[in-house]
Amino acid sequence: MSIKQISDENFSASIPSEGVALVDFGAKWCPPCKVLLPILSDLEREIGDKVTIMQVDCDDSPQMAGQFGVMSMPTVILFKDGQPMEKWVGLRPKDAYKSGIAKYLS
């Protein structure tokens, strides 16, 4: 599996109505976003069977970024059963994302 790229056009259809999804709002030019990519790839390898991990490029999809109040990048939003539950602004260590996800996997 790999991290799915989503956009304004397919965002709603891409968020699963059941289960946990992690959506990274970032941009190609953003240095912290580049650091986050290998962290998300590691998470995808470790728990990708339990969590859907996706990315939104805020430059290409400003509508979704605005809808979710993304003011800084990266912003990672965790969805549970289609609803936003957690929002992490700025780069965090892998364990922060992992422990946040774990709360919603039960």
Side-chain angles (χ1 to χ4, degrees):
M1 298 187 78
S2 64
I3 297 171
K4 182 178 179 182
Q5 304 295 316
I6 58 176
S7 65
D8 286 345
E9 291 77 32
N10 65 359
F11 188 92
S12 296
S14 298
I15 301 297
S17 59
E18 292 184 7
V20 177
L22 201 65
V23 181
D24 164 33
F25 289 84
K28 293 176 182 83
W29 54 264
C30 164
C33 300
K34 292 177 184 179
V35 174
L36 178 58
L37 186 57
I39 293 171
L40 293 178
S41 294
D42 284 350
L43 287 172
E44 208 279 329
R45 276 193 299 280
E46 292 174 21
I47 57 174
D49 57 332
K50 300 175 189 153
V51 178
T52 303
I53 301 176
M54 297 172 275
Q55 287 184 302
V56 173
D57 186 309
C58 293
D59 290 336
D60 296 338
S61 300
Q63 181 180 343
M64 285 300 106
Q67 180 178 330
F68 289 101
V70 175
M71 303 297 283
S72 297
M73 294 182 281
T75 293
V76 177
I77 300 178
L78 182 140
F79 291 81
K80 169 75 173 175
D81 298 335
Q83 298 300 311
M85 305 300 285
E86 301 270 349
K87 182 177 184 179
W88 298 292
V89 178
L91 185 61
R92 306 284 169 98
K94 181 170 96 171
D95 287 342
Y97 299 111
K98 204 169 182 178
S99 63
I101 292 166
K103 293 191 297 188
Y104 296 95
L105 288 178
S106 55

